[in-house]
Structures are given as structure tokens and as C-alpha cells.
Amino acid sequence: MDDSQLLKGVLDLAVLSVLESGDSYGYEIVTRLREAGHERVGEASVYGTLRRLHNDDHVSSYLEPSDSGPHRKYYSLTTNGRRRRREDAKTWERFVETMSFLLNQEKK
Amino acid sequence: MDDSQLLKGVLDLAVLSVLESGDSYGYEIVTRLREAGHERVGEASVYGTLRRLHNDDHVSSYLEPSDSGPHRKYYSLTTNGRRRRREDAKTWERFVETMSFLLNQEKK
DNA sequence: CGTGCTACCTCGCATTGCGAGGTAGCGAAA
DNA sequence: TTTCGCTACCTCGCAATGCGAGGTAGCACG
């Protein structure tokens, strides 16, 4: 099973979750996700996700200069984004429970 | 968040899990998945999944007549399929832990 | 000046769930 | 008998999205 397929549909939630603990920018978000355990997330996936979240008004953005390289494009959760995150988290939890049930079927 | 996107990459595992508790056929598998909580699984998704699992030698199949309609095409886990299921279950569990960690970031 | 890190981006492919549509057997109701 | 509803199978093509590959640039250090 490929992690990449698992990420589908969950990456939005993962990114929104990272932003819940403070504004961040693409490169850092990738790093955070990898540290958390999503070791194979590709940069392109995250940038794509951010673009979509921005289009749908779930995050806003602003530029900030940096000492250690080019400027950074920070992203910040909008009200929509926060609500979206709460809803997605619930959907995710229900989903995990369903899978849990299925995975333990065998024992019966 | 759409359940359908979440299912990507996990449907294989879900179907393999259903089969772990006994041979079954497409229509019944759909029913079982829906009862378990994946209420919106489409038939086409399951038939597609079964076709793929069969091509990759994770399941074998045989026909059986039925009293309540047309014949049934039963699927059975192969050795490959059983191994695949164990591996996928582990990958899934690790994935869930990673998400769990991310979802609780906010509290810090 | 080359190397390596930070940081951004685009393009197009591959995967896969699903909606829509179709075929057919069977039993019971109209 | 015809029709309905359930069981049970299938195909086609779209839509969504993660990712690999590739590119640009600033900065620091040797």
C-alpha cells in the first residue's frame, strides 16, 4: 500500500492542522509533515494543496522577507479554514473507526 | 472533506479485510462495507477493486449458483492477499498515528 | 565561483472512486 | 402475463489529487 494514496483526501486536513498551531509557509509545512511521520510527502503536493486551500478561502497569505534565503509566503487559517478543519477532523475520526471495525472482523 | 477521497488507497485494505472473515462476492462486500460505516461506497469502486486485486493475484475467484438471483462470483484471499492485508494494516496503523499526532498539534 | 541550503513555482502523468448506464435471473404482486 | 423490486454482474469515462521532474532565485561559505 502506498502512502501517497492514503494521503489523498487527508492532506488538506494535515496542512490545516499544521496551520492551527501558527502561520507557516510551504517549505516549513513540508518539513513539519515529514517530521510528524508523513516522510514521503512531496513538495508539489503541499504547494498544490495550499493553492487549493487559498482558492477556496480556507487560508490567506502574506509575504515576509527571510535572512536565510528568498522571501517566504506565509499562510494563515481563515475562519472558513478553521471550521473546515473541525469538520474534516470529525469526518476523519469516523472514518478511522469504520476501518477499525473492519480490520477486526477477522477475529470473529 | 469527501469520504470518497479518503477511501482512495484504503479500499483495497477494506475489501481484503472483509474477505479475511470468509469468501464473499461483490454485491455482498458492498453491503458489508456500507453496514460497517462506509455508507457511500459505490458498487463500481468495489468491482474495480476486485478486478485489480484479482489481476495482482491477491484474490482468486469461482462461480456459485444462487437461489435469489443470478450466479455469484465469489472471491477468496490468496496467500499473497493475506500477506498484503497484514502489511497494509500496519501501514494504515502507522498512518493513523501520524495523523493523530498532527491533529493534536493545536493544543501546544 | 561552485556548492548547498532555503524557498518558491509549473507541467503532466498515474491512480482510483464513482456516477451513469446496461444486462439478467428470480419471485411476488397486479 | 406483465410488471416490479431485489439480487448480481459488468463497462465507460470523468474528476480529483499526490508526485516526479524540472526550473528560478537568494544567501553564505569555502
Side-chain angles (χ1 to χ4, degrees), chain A residues 27-102:
Chain A
Y27 195 78
E28 192 187 48
I29 293 172
V30 172
T31 306
R32 292 256 209 104
L33 292 176
R34 287 184 176 153
E35 283 170 359
H38 292 315
E39 292 168 26
R40 294 167 177 281
V41 212
E43 287 191 16
S45 311
V46 172
Y47 285 113
T49 298
L50 286 169
R51 186 170 52 241
R52 253 179 294 120
L53 289 173
H54 192 260
N55 282 342
D56 299 344
D57 190 39
H58 288 116
V59 299
S60 55
S61 69
Y62 54 95
L63 290 179
E64 199 102 324
S66 163
D67 291 338
S68 59
H71 67 278
R72 294 168 177 167
K73 193 165 176 183
Y74 274 86
Y75 291 90
S76 183
L77 283 182
T78 61
T79 305
N80 263 341
R82 256 179 284 272
R83 194 187 58 235
R84 168 80 192 282
R85 184 188 174 274
R86 279 195 306 275
E87 291 168 356
D88 283 11
K90 275 181 192 154
T91 302
W92 171 247
E93 275 160 32
R94 278 194 301 271
F95 190 86
V96 169
E97 276 172 36
T98 297
M99 284 306 294
S100 216
F101 176 77
L102 282 171

Side-chain angles (χ1 to χ4, degrees), chain B residues 5 25 27 43 47 51 70 72-73:
Chain B
Q5 288 306 314
Y25 49 97
Y27 195 79
E43 286 191 16
Y47 285 113
R51 187 170 49 242
R72 295 168 177 165
K73 194 166 176 183

